Amino acid sequence: MKRNIVIAVVTAATLVGGGTATALAVAGDDDDSTSVTRTDDDRDDRGEERSDDRDGDDDGAVRAAAPGDVTAAEAITAALKHTPGTAVSAELDDGSWEVDVLAEGDTWHTVRITPDSGKVLGAQKDDEDDAAEVRAALKGASVTAEDAAKAAAAKGTVVSVDLDDDGGDKGWEAETRASGGDARDWNVDPKTASVTPDRDDD
């Protein structure tokens, strides 16, 4: 009986307001009935927002390049303020910066940063086991991930910075995007911060 009253009230409100509405009534028993009213306009707005949130990586890179938005270096700074340690990589992925931090005790954390405000979205502990290799690659280095991102920014909008701890050419690798969307890879010297084209970049 209460369910019929709810639907009648919603119908009357719709006729008086001149709009359209959808009523959902859920009832286990008469005392626990629940009604939800939602306008079609609200539903459409939320659908459009969800579509915008599903934008790909390229859109995220373009957004990061917009004036006033958070750079790779700024994202690293925000991540280290939240989770102290050594930043090893930063990448613009799925609309947010993901910064990998090697903290004390050789524990890894991934910190997610919004590219438009620099707000920390969250951090999670990761199960990585290459802490010894990373520390060995960084031994004697004076250039941090933040420094490397700043140096590479002279070549374009930095969308990723990563420590290369394999082989003999240990150092920082950076990827930049030009205003036209062209991607380039660079090597950043871990001692001098000099930026040179990646030999493997076609």
Side-chain angles (χ1 to χ4, degrees):
M1 183 62 181
K2 289 183 179 179
R3 184 188 310 173
N4 293 335
I5 292 172
V6 169
I7 294 175
V9 170
V10 171
T11 303
T14 300
L15 293 175
V16 172
T20 58
T22 302
L24 172 64
V26 181
D29 52 40
D30 288 344
D31 293 334
D32 295 329
S33 63
T34 305
S35 65
V36 178
T37 303
R38 182 181 67 201
T39 64
D40 289 342
D41 290 341
D42 291 342
R43 180 182 58 207
D44 292 342
D45 290 343
R46 282 194 295 270
E48 291 175 3
E49 290 173 4
R50 283 196 298 270
S51 297
D52 293 342
D53 290 342
R54 293 193 194 103
D55 291 343
D57 292 349
D58 289 341
D59 290 341
V62 171
R63 185 166 61 250
D69 284 352
V70 176
T71 66
E74 291 168 343
I76 293 169
T77 300
L80 292 177
K81 184 176 180 180
H82 180 273
T83 305
T86 301
V88 177
S89 69
E91 180 180 10
L92 190 59
D93 186 36
D94 291 334
S96 66
W97 284 105
E98 292 188 358
V99 182
D100 290 332
V101 177
L102 177 58
E104 292 184 6
D106 292 345
T107 57
W108 288 93
H109 301 270
T110 297
V111 185
R112 294 177 58 240
I113 309 290
T114 59
D116 53 352
S117 67
K119 179 181 177 181
V120 176
L121 295 172
Q124 67 180 34
K125 187 176 179 181
D126 292 330
D127 296 327
E128 298 284 349
D129 58 359
D130 57 348
E133 291 85 348
V134 167
R135 294 198 187 282
L138 289 173
K139 186 176 182 180
S142 56
V143 177
T144 65
E146 182 181 3
D147 296 332
K150 289 178 179 179
K155 304 297 184 179
T157 300
V158 178
V159 293
S160 73
V161 176
D162 188 33
L163 178 67
D164 181 9
D165 58 357
D166 296 326
D169 295 331
K170 294 180 174 61
W172 297 104
E173 296 178 340
E175 180 183 351
T176 62
R177 298 273 176 93
S179 58
D182 294 334
R184 291 289 307 272
D185 293 327
W186 308 90
N187 294 321
V188 182
D189 190 280
K191 294 183 178 179
T192 65
S194 62
V195 181
T196 56
D198 186 9
R199 288 177 296 183
D200 296 329
D201 186 15
D202 295 331

